[in-house]
Amino acid sequence: MKSPKPNRTEIRYGLREDGTGLWAVYDIFTGLTAEVNGIPQDGLDEVVVKFMVRELNDVYIARRKGTTH
């Protein structure tokens, strides 16, 4: 089952194209490239970035609701 689309106020991460056909996940609050375990999430395929944005936003929402550590 698909998870419901998050409310705009629940979204923290977005995606952007870098002008060369590669993509990055970025933090919409800071404008900086997102990192996972210290690894910048840039230079990626669009499909991978869309997946990462969805996953990172799901984790962010869960943490704000207090359902994860």
Side-chain angles (χ1 to χ4, degrees):
M1 182 168 93
K2 269 185 146 177
S3 53
K5 190 172 182 176
N7 181 322
R8 286 183 69 91
T9 61
E10 295 177 321
I11 295 174
R12 176 157 190 162
Y13 300 96
L15 58 108
R16 60 181 165 210
E17 200 260 338
D18 69 4
T20 68
L22 297 176
W23 293 79
V25 179
Y26 75 101
D27 183 322
I28 64 170
F29 298 143
T30 66
L32 300 174
T33 300
E35 293 185 1
V36 174
N37 295 327
I39 301 170
Q41 299 301 296
D42 59 2
L44 302 170
D45 179 74
E46 183 179 11
V47 172
V48 173
V49 168
K50 286 181 177 180
F51 173 80
M52 291 301 299
V53 166
R54 186 170 43 253
E55 292 296 310
L56 289 171
N57 279 321
D58 285 349
V59 169
Y60 176 70
I61 291 164
R63 289 181 75 193
R64 288 193 62 205
K65 291 181 178 178
T67 57
T68 189
H69 301 286

